[in-house]
Amino acid sequence: MTATATKTYQLYINGEWIDAAGGKTFAVQNPATGDLIAEVADAGAAEAEAAVRAAHAAFPAWSKRPADERAELMHAAFDILKGRIDEHAQILTLENGKPLAESKGEATIGAGFIRWNAEEARRTYGEVVPSPTAGKRVLTYRQPVGVVAAITPWNFPYSMITRKIGPALAAGCTVVLRPSSATPLVAIEIIRAFHEAGFPPGVVNIITSKSAPEVSKVLAESPIVRKITFTGSTEVGKQLMAQAAGTVKKVSLELGGHAPMLIFDDADVEAAAQGAIMSRFRNAGQTCICTNRLYVQRPLLEQFSQRVAELARGLKVGNGMDAETKVGPLIDERGFAKVEDQVKDAVAGGARVLAGGKSASLNGNLRGYFYEPTILADVAPDAKILHDETFGPALPIVPFDSEEEGIRLANDTPFGLAAYCYTRDIGRAFRVSEGLEYGIIGINDPVPTAPQIPFGGFKESGLGRENGSMGIEEFMEVKAVTIGL
Ligand code: NAD
């Protein structure tokens, strides 16, 4: 199925596709063209409460089902998702704007999160603990935490969802999903796959809504919801954490980043330049683990900067549906304005523009917010772009001299999600990876993510980890049982 201008999408609560109260809907637009793609049901607090009740009612039976049965159903959903990668990638590009090849990549890895977690469902072992006394035995069980609310952003509208609902369902939790109102369509299609796979009513629910604060408040403050898992900005993450404090629920937060990339003078220059470009410009720079600051050891500075600028100038900007496109539009005017402001601020502070530096002028029916892939040199230390998350296609280059200075500059931020380093010195690779205060380190690797790799941040980039064998832990409680003999 392809989303069309006339199509209206519904909410999915307790196994049924329903309209929002009063038939209220909101519009979803293609960020490349500004065209209306679809109308989507606009839920409010009442629908959020209904979804929470449905998830609560479904929890006892779902959590008691043997892990093998939960895994089988998840594999069935995975098979459906896998069969629809191309179709879902099209929807993803229509609503998010990223190049189609990136959308296929995201849908493939995103479906993979369901398969990975289906396998993990069977391995939630407990322990027999050596007893402190002869007359006692001690066991631990791991049990699902309960109803989970998942709130997700627009930049990875597929994979941010599956890496939350995958481990939640595998653990035996039930879920209420609230996707970003900018990109609700592929989210609905993912839930449709779970419906078709035969998940019982109430186990997964989706409430699309334009009013994020209203619906999120219900989810964060509900005493029934026992876990909030959120991906988005640090600002909103802090707010949800405060709202969740009233009921002391578990909270996982995957928040903003400001990733440094350190290029040492022993690096493979071409691999490092290609890596910097991939890390900064995929998804038009709207990736939480995107390189936001490029630190280059001084002997390489000129050569490396020229090469990166040359590669940036070669990136074709356009509609993600066009096979040639490497950089799509920013998601909206706000996202565009932020990049423009940061570049202007850097230039006003003395920065030199090595590539790009302005709005991209494009031909054809493209009314979206496009920005040229931009490389900046001689950036002042207090420039906004070196401190605030850019979330767009602009990359500042800063020189450094020693390894110690590089690590110090890289760590000089409240964020701690991802960091990168290019070096061929094995000792340096270990020293730098140990010195960086970040949850994810890519050494000679611009894409350090996969279902088996733990994902999460230090400092203000978040709490908890997704993926890897520990991803499912976030959705479980440990119960200790002591037995007197
Ligand atoms: P956002 O915080 O504005 O929105 C995230 C979600 O929260 C959306 O569903 C949104 O509708 C909702 N929301 C917005 N305002 C809200 C409010 N006041 N109360 C409750 N909910 C609200 O973030 P975004 O712009 O959608 O996404 C970009 C941000 O997400 C960036 O900061 C990026 O770094 C971060 N991100 C982090 C990761 C990670 O894994 N750490 C991954 C992707 C994106």
Side-chain angles (χ1 to χ4, degrees):
M1 180 179 30
T2 305
T4 65
T6 52
K7 189 162 171 62
T8 300
Y9 289 78
Q10 293 175 298
L11 313 172
Y12 183 70
I13 299 176
N14 205 24
E16 290 182 356
W17 295 98
I18 58 168
D19 291 333
K24 215 171 141 198
T25 62
F26 63 91
V28 180
Q29 287 174 317
N30 180 336
T33 62
D35 293 342
L36 177 73
I37 315 170
E39 291 284 339
V40 177
D42 190 4
E47 290 90 341
E49 280 159 12
V52 168
R53 281 197 301 275
H56 190 225
F59 178 71
W62 179 247
S63 58
K64 285 190 183 68
R65 270 175 100 144
D68 272 12
E69 286 183 27
R70 290 201 303 271
E72 288 308 320
L73 270 171
M74 290 180 67
H75 277 296
F78 166 74
D79 288 342
I80 294 171
L81 292 170
K82 194 174 164 211
R84 296 179 187 166
I85 298 277
D86 287 343
E87 178 191 320
H88 290 169
Q90 297 253 347
I91 296 172
L92 217 163
T93 290
L94 277 178
E95 64 181 347
N96 166 282
K98 67 178 67 178
L100 198 51
E102 289 187 26
S103 293
K104 279 188 194 169
E106 183 184 341
T108 303
I109 196 173
F113 291 142
I114 300 300
R115 177 173 57 183
W116 167 267
N117 283 290
E119 291 158 3
E120 289 300 289
R122 303 182 211 261
R123 301 189 229 298
T124 55
Y125 306 123
E127 290 180 321
V128 178
V129 179
S131 173
T133 59
K136 203 187 250 197
R137 297 293 178 267
V138 182
L139 313 173
T140 64
Y141 297 90
R142 286 154 76 208
Q143 295 190 334
V145 64
V147 174
V148 170
I151 302 175
T152 54
W154 49 265
N155 66 334
F156 285 86
Y158 191 124
S159 58
M160 295 301 111
I161 288 173
T162 48
R163 73 186 197 184
K164 294 184 184 317
I165 66 175
L169 295 171
C173 298
T174 54
V175 178
V176 177
L177 169 66
R178 193 261 166 208
S180 168
S181 53
T183 55
L185 305 183
V186 85
I188 295 168
E189 295 305 336
I190 292 168
I191 299 305
R192 195 183 310 286
F194 283 82
H195 172 71
E196 291 176 15
F199 273 68
V203 172
V204 276
N205 306 274
I206 182 167
I207 41 168
T208 46
S209 171
K210 190 75 180 163
S211 171
E214 180 188 351
V215 165
S216 303
K217 188 168 186 290
V218 170
L219 300 176
E221 293 184 350
S222 164
I224 294 173
V225 174
R226 293 313 312 152
K227 160 96 190 179
I228 286 271
T229 171
F230 171 76
T231 297
S233 61
T234 297
E235 184 193 351
V236 173
K238 286 178 182 177
Q239 192 181 310
L240 287 171
M241 197 175 169
Q243 288 171 346
T247 48
V248 195
K249 53 174 61 76
K250 269 180 175 274
V251 178
S252 295
L253 302 172
E254 296 291 348
L255 307 178
H258 203 280
M261 180 179 277
L262 295 167
I263 313 293
F264 285 94
D265 60 7
D266 60 51
D268 175 334
V269 173
E270 187 55 24
Q274 299 280 357
I277 291 288
M278 177 187 275
S279 174
R280 170 72 283 183
F281 295 107
R282 73 189 173 108
N283 201 14
Q286 303 167 114
T287 301
C288 53
I289 60 168
C290 265
T291 294
N292 211 135
R293 292 169 283 150
L294 189 55
Y295 294 108
V296 183
Q297 207 165 15
R298 212 171 292 271
L300 268 190
L301 183 64
E302 208 42 47
Q303 179 198 359
F304 191 80
S305 303
Q306 292 310 326
R307 181 63 183 141
V308 167
E310 186 185 1
L311 290 172
R313 282 192 292 269
L315 296 171
K316 184 169 182 304
V317 180
N319 188 337
M321 286 297 189
D322 175 353
E324 311 270 278
T325 294
K326 293 285 185 259
V327 178
L330 277 303
I331 191 73
D332 56 22
E333 185 179 6
R334 199 169 130 239
F336 176 89
K338 190 172 185 193
V339 184
E340 192 172 51
D341 174 60
Q342 288 196 359
V343 172
K344 280 187 177 158
D345 169 77
V347 170
R352 271 186 304 136
V353 177
L354 301 187
K358 59 183 188 318
S359 165
S361 51
L362 302 170
N363 297 323
N365 179 30
L366 296 175
R367 283 170 286 136
Y369 295 96
F370 295 89
Y371 201 86
E372 290 181 351
T374 296
I375 305 291
L376 301 171
D378 301 335
V379 182
D382 62 348
K384 288 184 197 173
I385 197 166
L386 291 179
H387 303 279
D388 301 340
E389 191 178 30
T390 305
F391 238 54
L395 183 59
I397 301 181
V398 176
F400 71 96
D401 291 302
S402 67
E403 192 176 300
E404 293 69 27
E405 185 194 13
I407 293 172
R408 183 176 53 73
L409 288 168
N411 285 338
D412 185 19
T413 171
F415 295 111
L417 186 56
Y420 305 87
C421 164
Y422 276 81
T423 178
R424 283 179 292 191
D425 176 334
I426 184 76
R428 171 169 280 159
F430 273 96
R431 285 192 303 275
V432 172
S433 61
E434 288 163 12
L436 290 170
E437 297 161 355
Y438 290 82
I440 304 158
I441 313 284
I443 304 282
N444 304 323
D445 180 10
V447 192
T449 55
Q452 43 278 85
I453 304 172
F455 190 104
F458 286 15
K459 295 163 45 182
E460 293 190 22
S461 284
L463 284 179
R465 291 292 177 273
E466 294 188 326
N467 306 342
S469 58
M470 66 243 297
I472 198 166
E473 299 291 343
E474 303 283 339
F475 298 90
M476 305 201 87
E477 294 277 20
V478 173
K479 182 182 281 177
V481 178
T482 70
I483 305 167
L485 301 183

